[in-house]
Amino acid sequence: MAKYVYFFGGRKAEGDGKMKDLLGGKGAGLAEMTNSGIPVPPGFTITTKVCNYFYKNKGRMPSGFKQEIQKNIQKLERTTGKRFGDAKNPLLVSVRSGAKISMPGMMDTILNLGLNDETIKGLIKKSNDEKFAWDAYRRLVQMFGNVVMGVEKEKFEKLLDKKKKEGKVKFDQQLSVDAIKDLVDGFKKVYQQETGKKFPPDSLEQLKMAIESVFESWNNPRAVTYRKLNKIPDDLGTAINIQTMVFGNMGNDSGTGVGFTRNPSTGKKKFYGEYLLNAQGEDVVAGVRTPLPIENLKKEMPKVYQELWEITTKLEKHYRDTQDFEFTVENGKLFMLQTRIGKRTAFAAVKIAVDMVKEGLITEEEALMRLAPAQIDQLLHPILDPKVKVDVIARGLPASPGAASGTIIFTAEEAVEKSKKGPVILVRQETCPDDIHGMDAAKGILTARGGMTSHAAVVARGMGKPCIAGCETLQISEENKEIIVNGKTIKEGDWLTIDGATGRVILGRVPTVKPSLSGDFGIFMKWADKIRKLGVRANADIPRDAKTAINFGAEGIGLCRTEHMFFAQERVPIVQKMILADTEKERRKFLDELLPMQREDFLGLFKEMKGYPVIIRTIDPPLHEFLPKREELMVEIALMKERKKPEKEIKKKEALLARVNQLHEINPMLGHRGCRLGITYPEITEMQVRAIMEAACKLAKKGKTVLPEIMIPLVGHINELKNQKAVVVRVAKSVMKDYGVKIKYLVGTMIEIPRGAITADEIAAEAEFFSFGTNDLTQMGFGFSRDDAGKFINDYLSEGILKSDPFQTIDQDGIGKLIGMGIKRGRKTKKNLEIGICGEHGGDPDSVKFCHRIGMDYVSCSPFRVPIARLAAAQAVLEEKK
């Protein structure tokens, strides 16, 4: 017969600390503490199996469960010498949730369960404190009504506030016995009015309802959201801990508190926590009274303090990690109610991990598993000052971490100008490559449209700037230069703050704090580099980004997007003339003007990379992206005609419109872009290759090591690569001959079209490396537009259709199989084929670990995500060992 309930008490527990899957983190901790001889109020744990059964069977409990509960209550009665529901010596219990992975505050708790009009008499007699007993009853009715029956807390609080005003007191514990008795009656009336039922007098019925309520809280909105944000599986279920009540509100020799064995914000090895005398646990967190720092307990209860310090120090050594603990003192006797691994900031996590290695508590490998890679973001970007209260007006997608305040600006040009006078936030419906200069000038970017891999998101992450994308509650009027949100109008020039780590849009100016990278961080990352097998490169287009990447530990550039270089203000007119040219001869003339500019760009990158490989992608986007928007031109021409502008000027604009119309595509992402442009206009590829090779040869002549890798984008057929490779090889040979040097260079391709992955064995015959462009591969593999998918992806996630956003984390079951197929087939043709990834997935921890498992050589990501990828790559090795 299945076992659903595990007892703990009397220095012996049926479970232990290794049984988190079954007993949850809290239950496993209580069992382990009991077995270690630590004073724990006795009780029993209902397993997570029951929770899962409850949900699979429409709220029913498994066969034999009721009898097991009854049996464990009897055991608890024998252990404590008290009786459940007894009027003379009542057993009172708490009912608390406890999932395998800590979800603090997300699920429900009920205290003082078992009190009724009869059992309170026994509690008064045993405690010899009528006020304490009635206060415990008052708390039960309120908690039970709110948690179990869904009565709004405010309904009870109104009565409580009224009583305090009548009694002219500030705090609950200052109320008289008669006032508290009146409150119990008043609370029961509220309970009946709101639920249509009387407060249940039967202790067993209270327990049954409380158990069902805690199970139901597993799927309350806040718990569901917390799991989604922290990637906790929905099918883990929660355990429930039924534990004998100990009371911290029995006078000034009693109290309750919470604490950590080390400071969870700084990581400092210092006893850290708060407590209240004459209080129950909820009072500490509710903020009704101001808790005291735990150091004060040393003066008020020196023996208790010493025992608490010894127990928690023992627990930290036993678990070999920082402990988050709860305790209660009843009439001078200490009881431990909980211990679990303490949640901490990224800064604290690094310090604690490094310190514990120095102390000999853990190994370097264990230390590396103590920090979630995504937490590193907190260490690299400014964060909002946590002490400041903020006015959140909207929420969007947390597209790029960090925080920034500035005056709002609606165009890239104005962002450049206004940024000279002070910080600006660029606000757009969505950004496009034309906005690059404005994005560079702005402190942060906010868009109403787009997803986590939209232009705004990708570019902002590359720049290390905070960005919130897809904030669809914003009504942005670029024409009126204002935002309307929830009835508020925010005008250009008003201050706005964005928190890219949480997606919060905040009214006004909020100060930021820059986290400092301690020496501990450097030590920690060296440990990661010793273990990882996967190389980590960066996506960088300019020397400044390349320098940032090197500082963060990048081992080369995995993607340089040459088209971004064309958007510099002094270059756009030349690019536009080249596009408008009618003949190859004309195009070459303007390409010759661009050549020295591109060469300087590549020189800068090669210098910063100091011999590391640099993958440079030839032009990828369609040409119309470099031209003014079609609709804007039509309006401009109409206005010019109306205002009787010179015919020559109008003709010039009309010629531009004609070319824009000629280049206009219904679906540009599947249109004339990538290698298709190079095939149509080989002179563009020629100019770019010449710029790359001339820059490389210049440095090589000076004795510098340069490793250029030229990447042809959007290849789906071997003949496309053959065509462009021939251009690359011809130009490279010519340049090396002119400079009188020979340098090693590679020619490869992006695998971003499903056909490219399927025919990778053929393509590998020509390619010297593969780089998987997972943004486009996901887009084409799923048939999702990455800029529009944000409109329905959340529905897919909430309905369980997808486990995660495929534009954030590689879809291993689908797109992952295409990648695996491409690697297997490519290396079948060319055994030592260099293979990496350059989509935004290269900085996602789960995706990095997947890349390690399927045998890639490196990942490439935004410079600010390089440390994340380094740690994820190390953890992939350690997880594989397990």
Side-chain angles (χ1 to χ4, degrees):
M1 186 177 170
K3 183 173 175 65
Y4 296 115
V5 183
Y6 286 72
F7 191 83
F8 57 88
R11 294 184 176 269
K12 179 65 181 168
E14 292 176 339
D16 60 43
K18 295 174 185 174
M19 297 172 69
K20 285 185 180 181
D21 284 339
L22 200 59
L23 304 180
K26 192 175 290 183
L30 289 167
E32 192 77 358
M33 284 196 291
T34 301
N35 289 332
S36 301
I38 289 168
V40 172
F44 52 89
T45 301
I46 300 166
T47 67
T48 54
K49 279 185 180 178
V50 182
C51 180
N52 288 326
Y53 185 97
F54 178 83
Y55 277 102
K56 286 174 186 172
N57 293 274
K58 298 178 181 176
R60 287 187 290 113
M61 300 295 182
S63 173
F65 173 71
K66 187 178 177 183
Q67 289 80 357
E68 264 197 87
I69 290 289
Q70 191 63 52
K71 182 181 165 187
N72 278 273
I73 288 173
Q74 289 166 1
K75 195 171 182 179
L76 195 55
E77 288 174 335
R78 288 195 298 274
T79 304
T80 61
K82 300 175 181 180
R83 297 280 306 280
F84 201 48
D86 186 54
K88 292 182 180 177
N89 190 17
L91 170 65
L92 304 181
V93 298
S94 62
V95 181
R96 299 172 190 258
S97 62
K100 176 188 176 181
I101 299 166
S102 174
M103 295 168 55
M106 295 302 112
M107 292 180 286
D108 292 330
T109 294
I110 298 126
L111 304 179
N112 309 329
L113 198 135
L115 275 173
N116 56 36
D117 293 348
E118 293 301 314
T119 55
I120 193 172
K121 296 171 187 173
L123 185 62
I124 291 168
K125 191 175 179 182
K126 281 285 176 183
S127 66
N128 198 29
D129 189 337
E130 189 179 10
K131 182 177 175 179
F132 148 73
W134 281 103
D135 188 52
Y137 197 6
R138 183 267 303 178
R139 290 170 186 265
L140 170 64
V141 178
Q142 179 173 352
M143 226 180 234
F144 195 93
N146 174 241
V147 170
V148 178
M149 301 302 291
V151 180
E152 288 177 18
K153 203 173 183 180
E154 289 69 27
K155 304 272 182 184
F156 299 110
E157 292 293 336
K158 277 183 184 176
L159 281 181
L160 180 59
D161 290 341
K162 188 181 174 187
K163 273 291 169 198
K164 285 194 281 193
K165 280 180 185 173
E166 287 173 4
K168 295 179 181 176
V169 298
K170 187 177 180 182
F171 299 112
D172 302 1
Q173 71 270 25
Q174 294 172 318
L175 288 166
S176 66
V177 176
D178 288 338
I180 298 170
K181 280 183 180 179
D182 287 346
L183 274 176
V184 172
D185 288 338
F187 280 10
K188 283 182 180 177
K189 283 174 186 170
V190 168
Y191 182 100
Q192 190 165 357
Q193 285 165 4
E194 295 297 317
T195 67
K197 298 173 183 177
K198 288 186 176 182
F199 178 78
D202 182 77
S203 300
L204 280 172
E205 180 63 18
Q206 288 177 13
L207 182 60
K208 175 181 174 291
M209 292 171 71
I211 289 169
E212 288 174 357
S213 173
V214 173
F215 279 150
E216 283 166 0
S217 74
W218 173 252
N219 269 346
N220 70 34
R222 66 179 184 271
V224 170
T225 300
Y226 186 89
R227 289 199 297 275
K228 195 179 290 182
L229 291 173
N230 292 279
K231 296 185 178 180
I232 299 171
D234 287 328
D235 59 0
L236 285 182
T238 184
I240 296 179
N241 299 288
I242 315 291
Q243 196 171 13
T244 305
M245 281 297 303
V246 286
F247 296 96
N249 56 336
M250 292 188 76
N252 286 330
D253 64 348
S254 303
T256 188
V258 296
F260 292 80
T261 51
R262 303 189 189 215
N263 189 308
S265 294
T266 65
K268 194 174 179 183
K269 191 178 181 182
K270 186 183 178 186
F271 208 33
Y272 178 93
E274 297 175 322
Y275 74 100
L276 281 172
L277 292 182
N278 195 19
Q280 282 201 308
E282 61 177 304
D283 297 333
V284 178
V285 293
V288 178
R289 291 161 59 192
T290 305
L292 299 167
I294 209 159
E295 292 83 21
N296 284 34
L297 191 63
K298 197 173 187 177
K299 298 172 191 169
E300 295 190 304
M301 295 182 177
K303 284 185 180 177
V304 168
Y305 177 89
Q306 185 61 27
E307 186 184 4
L308 180 65
W309 183 84
E310 286 172 3
I311 287 170
T312 54
T313 301
K314 179 182 175 182
L315 286 169
E316 182 178 271
K317 284 182 179 172
H318 177 76
Y319 286 104
R320 298 181 310 125
D321 204 349
T322 300
Q323 295 300 292
D324 167 4
F325 56 86
E326 292 180 19
F327 67 94
T328 287
V329 182
E330 183 182 89
N331 301 136
K333 181 172 172 55
L334 174 69
F335 293 92
M336 298 301 294
L337 304 183
Q338 172 178 287
T339 191
R340 62 186 174 193
I341 304 303
K343 294 204 177 285
R344 64 208 81 170
T345 65
F347 184 86
V350 171
K351 177 163 178 56
I352 290 167
V354 172
D355 284 353
M356 284 189 168
V357 171
K358 289 175 183 174
E359 292 163 26
L361 271 179
I362 59 175
T363 64
E364 290 177 8
E365 291 189 357
E366 287 172 310
L368 289 171
M369 298 305 291
R370 295 286 170 89
L371 181 71
Q375 279 185 285
I376 290 178
D377 263 343
Q378 291 179 31
L379 300 173
L380 307 179
H381 296 274
I383 56 172
L384 295 180
D385 188 338
K387 297 171 189 170
V388 178
K389 287 187 177 179
V390 296
D391 180 10
V392 178
I393 57 169
R395 285 180 187 269
L397 296 171
S400 183
S405 295
T407 56
I408 61 170
I409 298 297
F410 293 89
T411 69
E413 288 71 27
E414 284 178 308
V416 172
E417 285 306 309
K418 297 283 173 71
S419 67
K420 294 170 186 173
K421 296 175 183 175
V424 299
I425 303 293
L426 179 62
V427 180
R428 303 282 279 154
Q429 289 287 359
E430 58 193 335
T431 62
C432 67
D434 278 346
D435 295 323
I436 196 84
H437 55 299
M439 295 173 78
D440 185 50
K443 288 290 181 187
I445 297 106
L446 171 63
T447 70
R449 297 184 196 138
M452 295 291 280
T453 56
S454 62
H455 178 268
V458 172
V459 174
R461 282 195 289 269
M463 292 176 167
K465 290 179 186 287
C467 173
I468 297 173
C471 190
E472 294 190 357
T473 54
L474 300 180
Q475 295 174 44
I476 296 173
S477 172
E478 292 173 8
E479 188 182 348
N480 297 329
K481 297 189 176 181
E482 65 182 22
I483 302 169
I484 299 172
V485 55
N486 298 326
K488 288 182 181 177
T489 301
I490 303 146
K491 297 276 187 184
E492 182 170 87
D494 289 348
W495 280 85
L496 208 61
T497 298
I498 62 169
D499 183 355
T502 63
R504 294 180 301 165
V505 181
I506 298 160
L507 196 60
R509 189 175 190 172
V510 182
T512 59
V513 179
K514 195 170 185 179
S516 58
L517 295 180
S518 67
D520 290 331
F521 182 73
I523 294 167
F524 187 83
M525 293 311 297
K526 277 181 185 173
W527 295 342
D529 292 338
K530 270 198 300 186
I531 285 167
R532 66 182 169 88
K533 295 174 183 174
L534 202 59
V536 179
R537 301 185 189 181
N539 301 343
D541 310 325
I542 55 175
R544 185 182 65 203
D545 290 348
K547 189 173 184 177
T548 302
I550 287 288
N551 290 340
F552 283 144
E555 299 154 323
I557 290 176
L559 174 64
C560 167
R561 294 162 286 226
T562 54
E563 62 272 6
H564 283 182
M565 299 165 175
F566 289 163
F567 282 106
Q569 279 180 307
E570 72 278 8
R571 302 183 194 186
V572 169
I574 305 170
V575 175
Q576 289 181 349
K577 286 174 187 173
M578 182 270 291
I579 294 167
L580 293 171
D582 292 322
T583 65
E584 182 185 327
K585 187 179 177 182
E586 264 191 283
R587 272 193 298 278
R588 285 189 181 276
K589 178 190 165 191
F590 297 116
L591 286 167
D592 286 345
E593 286 186 49
L594 288 169
L595 174 63
M597 299 175 187
Q598 283 253 279
R599 185 174 57 230
E600 286 303 308
D601 294 329
F602 299 136
L603 264 172
L605 286 177
F606 291 144
K607 282 176 184 175
E608 290 294 347
M609 281 294 117
K610 297 179 173 66
Y612 280 123
V614 178
I615 294 181
I616 299 168
R617 181 180 73 186
T618 54
I619 191 166
D620 183 47
L623 291 179
H624 74 80
E625 286 198 9
F626 298 95
L627 298 175
K629 287 187 171 63
R630 188 180 173 205
E631 294 75 14
E632 289 173 5
L633 275 174
M634 290 166 76
V635 170
E636 200 177 338
I637 291 166
L639 288 171
M640 287 174 80
K641 286 179 177 177
E642 188 184 321
R643 291 166 186 169
K644 305 271 193 278
K645 292 283 181 183
E647 192 65 26
K648 191 178 177 183
E649 285 182 30
I650 294 172
K651 291 277 185 199
K652 192 178 176 184
K653 285 288 179 188
E654 284 178 336
L656 183 57
L657 176 61
R659 186 65 170 141
V660 168
N661 282 329
Q662 190 182 356
L663 293 171
H664 177 72
E665 294 175 305
I666 301 299
N667 193 343
M669 291 307 289
L670 299 177
H672 196 191
R673 56 174 283 228
C675 65
R676 300 158 196 171
L677 268 180
I679 291 165
T680 308
Y681 305 113
E683 56 272 20
I684 297 177
T685 305
E686 284 177 23
M687 182 278 288
Q688 293 198 293
V689 174
R690 182 169 292 280
I692 293 165
M693 296 306 292
E694 285 184 0
C697 288
K698 265 193 168 188
L699 287 176
K701 282 201 90 166
K702 293 177 182 177
K704 306 287 185 187
T705 303
V706 188
L707 290 174
E709 300 184 20
I710 299 166
M711 181 161 69
I712 310 301
L714 221 71
V715 167
H717 196 288
I718 185 174
N719 290 339
E720 291 174 316
L721 181 57
K722 274 182 180 178
N723 176 289
Q724 289 294 281
K725 184 180 178 183
V727 175
V728 174
V729 171
R730 173 170 49 81
V731 175
K733 276 183 181 176
S734 170
V735 172
M736 287 190 286
K737 187 180 177 184
D738 291 344
Y739 277 81
V741 292
K742 274 200 169 186
I743 58 169
K744 184 186 174 186
Y745 70 97
L746 302 179
V747 183
T749 184
M750 283 183 89
I751 302 292
E752 52 191 330
I753 291 177
R755 192 183 190 280
I758 294 165
T759 62
D761 50 343
E762 295 176 19
I763 292 172
E766 291 292 332
E768 292 168 293
F769 67 88
F770 281 174
S771 179
F772 283 89
T774 48
N775 296 345
D776 266 326
L777 192 60
T778 299
Q779 180 168 240
M780 296 188 207
F782 263 106
F784 291 168
S785 161
R786 70 185 185 199
D787 288 325
D788 298 314
K791 292 174 182 174
F792 60 83
I793 284 289
N794 284 337
D795 294 329
Y796 271 49
L797 298 176
S798 61
E799 292 294 327
I801 293 168
L802 293 175
K803 287 181 182 176
S804 57
D805 183 340
F807 289 108
Q808 292 181 42
T809 300
I810 288 173
D811 161 47
Q812 295 179 24
D813 297 332
I815 305 304
K817 285 180 180 171
L818 276 174
I819 295 170
M821 181 191 299
I823 292 172
K824 191 176 178 182
R825 293 187 176 186
R827 286 198 173 136
K828 189 179 178 184
T829 300
K830 199 168 278 179
K831 190 179 177 183
N832 296 318
L833 185 69
E834 176 188 285
I835 297 178
I837 181 177
C838 63
E840 274 302 297
H841 295 101
D844 170 68
D846 288 342
S847 303
V848 171
K849 291 174 184 180
F850 171 74
C851 293
H852 165 84
R853 289 195 300 272
I854 60 171
M856 284 193 188
D857 295 303
Y858 70 87
V859 295
S860 186
C861 56
S862 305
F864 283 84
R865 297 181 97 181
V866 165
I868 295 171
R870 287 164 64 196
L871 178 56
Q875 289 185 352
V877 174
L878 297 174
E879 286 167 8
E880 209 168 45
K881 279 186 182 181
K882 286 185 181 179

